[in-house]
Amino acid sequence: MSTFDFPPSIASRPTYGALAPRAGAAQIMLADAEGAEALLAVAQADPELMHRAHVIYIPKHTGERFTDPLRAAAPDILHIAPSYPACTQRLHRVFSAAPMGAQIYLAGTEGLIGQAMALALQIGIPKSAIQTEHRGSVARRVQCVHCKGITEDVMTDPFQCGHCGLNLFVRDHYSRRLAAFQGVCIDAEDPGNVPPSVELYS
Amino acid sequence: MTIQFNDETFRDDYTFRNSEWAIRRFPFPFHEDSYMYSVNMERHRGGPEGSVYEKRFDVDEHYISEMRDRAQVLADDPLRCQSLPHMTLAGWDLLELIMVSKSEDYPDLFELHRDGATWRWVNKPLGIDDTFTFMDESSLPYGPMEYITRQTQGDFAVLDQRENNLWMDAGMVTTQADWSLDFDIGMNFFEWHAPVPMAHEMGVFKRALKFLLNVQQGSPARRLNWTMTVNPLLDTSPENYHKWGIQKTMLTPENVGRKQHLRVELQTFFRLPRSNALVFPIRCYLIALEDLVTVPKWGRRLHRVIRDLPEELATYKGFIDNRPMILDYLSQYDDGQTTSPGIWPDLDTEPPLRR
Amino acid sequence: MSAGLEKLPVIVTAKVKLNDLVTRFEFAHASGKALPPFSGGAHTVVEMQDGAKTRLNPYSLMSDPMDPTQYAISVRRDAAGRGGSVFLHDKVQVGDKLMLGMPVNLFALDLTARKHLMIAGGIGITPFVAQIKQLQTTGGAFELHYSARSQALASYADDLRAAHPKRVNLYLDDQNQQIPLERLLSGQPPGTHVYVCGPRGMIDWVLATAERLGWPPEAVHSEEFLAPQSGKPFTVDLAQTGKTITVGEHESLLEAMEREGVDAPYLCRGGACGQCETRVIAHDGTLQHNDHWLEDDERDGSKIMPCVSRFEGSRLVLDR
Ligand code: FES
């Protein structure tokens, strides 16, 4: 199973639910890797809704595993994209054309959900039109508060900022606008004293 | 009174000093010998003459130097001042509120002349005399919020009100107690307070939000908050923490009285009329421990508060490692005598320190 | 904090009869000062001295929010009501002095919206008049759909259509015209917010249709002022002040407290803002909740909104 129970945390840290079919003027779905399982669950619960959906899917390391089942669910449009950056322009176009009442479904890693949510909000789609479900990796997108560089797929805490090289600890404080957690210098008060990295949620 | 403005720095050589006048009027935040989070709001309708509560926007001897420090911070990092697109109207509201308040409260320092939409603003301490068109952004060198807050002490969070919540959608933040506007902009009330320990469980923020949503035009409110800072450093930002954090390790028993500062925020809340937004000015006052203990009541009380503060709060406020040294210093000024209730220095009625 | 503290003394500068039902009142500051600016959708509580009785009625401000020289309200004559609107129509004249509460906005535009879709019924047009003026100044996109019983009763329709011919749409009941709501709510671009002000039936219709079409709640705004309902007189013990007061048939619990000099907070006087919320210490009987504020689980006898709600029974003790 690809689900993970995040321990309770502070109010700015996103929480995730389970996708459920919702009536609306349009159905737009985006998933990466194991996130496909969440979309397939929606298709199973309401096959008709899936036939009206525009689905964008990024398989990542799962290869062909979910592409055939998704095709079999027969969405109105299915677009397989090699990466999130490769489909951002398309997503922008699809979100911008979505009438009020459209339902958005995001499933997969926190990085994908967060970035697509930020894009949707920026276009004006209200937050509660967007459902999210976490699946797969617990890697985080982290912004270095010092140099502002964002590092993708951070798996350890602390980690070294990929931009400025500072050693950062990963806070649960999260910015929806940046789609990133906050990384703060861990050895500012004792330079060089960096505790060993541990895997997130290990 | 006319204010004698200091020429001082809040960085590098740290020449910041409080005059005798500034020490006496310092907003001491503890009304009793212990501290716990509370909403502790009251109406902001003046206060005793000469106190920091008297005027809507207090101007003191540090004004010119603080504004110089702000300009330096913004030159180094322009992201400290940001406004989401829907907040421009609130920016004009804020500009009007400050210009009207300051010109009425300090007529010898500030003047506002309005002729329809043509406004002339005179700021004598900073040598500014600008004529512009109200509600026309192109007539000012900066956006309205940035223009006026480059001329007003304190940080400013401008909060949009919608969905029964407050959203931090604009701000000028260069003297903050360790939070990042660039990171927090766009968050709602609960989200930007998320890192504060304990208070959520206590329901403090729920009550505070309910209060703030109901702050009405013409009825501003205020409260105090506090923390500790080594050196009179205004810009204790997370952005620069990797540079200033090390200063916390430079306290010694010899320099703690001079270097360790109590940092108090006078937080006020005004409803902005045209935008229905709320502005949250956060004015920072710094005082060295050696100056603070010249008021015997404050010396006694601060010792007791710091001593009894829960560990989580001392950690959150960033002085847990230095607490023993601070307590050693302050204990010299706590002779165990009782203190009078309330925040005022009560110099005439409180007993001198018994040695 | 009692909200009514800050008040504006004003003088009536104009009284304009618009049609059989609606009259506009215009005010200037009594001492010639500038009136505070406000935001579109704000209301003011008008304080009227009707003999020994003080009447306090909320009305939407409909003048230009940027114009400090005057405020305006439009009052629909409500013959079946408790008398505030009739008093204004019949007794208040140009030159009279009144007190107004500071503007309070419980129906503000969501300024993050990309477009504002406004739906008005009858006198519900008034907050939109001010909001449209605000959007004219700040340059926001809007579209108004306004339904009224007849051309004669469609207050301000001509002015609005003349100023914004492409954005204002009028629907008249006596011509069998109806707002094409379903179609309107089906093709709006992302970031549109819908606002409705009018009779209860219209509000329910818009809210239900929006929900059915998948509109998220934060993009749907409504305003309805409830008028306090009359009812059987009842007696209340006030624990803090130690007073026992009787609430008359045609007055609200809030009004009765004010009559007795009890400091009771309020903002909207219409069951919407939550400001008057009061703890019930004990009761023996039935609380008649008429507000829009309390959650269902708060209607368990622990709280009451004195501006609109009443009581029937033998004993009620409140924390005031
Ligand atoms: S006064 Fe607003 S709910 Fe009672």
Side-chain angles (χ1 to χ4, degrees), chain A residues 11-12 31 39 45 47 57 66 68 71 89 100 109 112 142 172 174 180:
Chain A
S12 57
L39 301 191
Y57 178 58
F66 297 108
D68 282 343
R71 220 166 264 128
Q89 289 310 315
M100 285 299 287
T109 58
L112 177 89
V142 183
D172 268 0
Y174 179 86

Side-chain angles (χ1 to χ4, degrees), chain C residues 254 265-277 293 305-307:
Chain C
L254 177 63
Y266 70 84
L267 286 179
C268 70
R269 306 182 79 84
C273 73
Q275 187 70 19
C276 68
E277 184 178 300
W293 175 257
M305 310 305 289
C307 63

Side-chain angles (χ1 to χ4, degrees), chain B residues 235-283:
Chain B
D235 180 31
T236 50
S237 59
E239 277 84 351
N240 286 334
Y241 170 61
H242 60 303
K243 297 180 191 152
W244 60 261
I246 192 76
Q247 296 181 21
K248 291 208 233 174
T249 66
M250 295 176 176
L251 273 193
T252 64
E254 292 69 45
N255 68 20
V256 58
R258 185 161 41 84
K259 273 186 171 293
Q260 182 66 59
H261 288 68
L262 174 64
R263 181 187 192 104
V264 173
E265 293 174 356
L266 170 58
Q267 307 180 342
T268 50
F269 305 90
F270 296 80
R271 176 68 55 199
L272 296 176
R274 293 177 171 85
S275 57
N276 201 41
L278 198 72
V279 65
F280 174 18
I282 310 160
R283 171 67 184 278

Side-chain angles (χ1 to χ4, degrees), chain B residues 295-310:
Chain B
V295 176
K297 170 180 166 179
W298 291 352
R300 293 181 180 107
R301 182 166 291 166
L302 186 63
H303 173 247
R304 296 166 200 180
V305 168
I306 299 294
R307 182 189 63 201
D308 301 337
L309 195 73

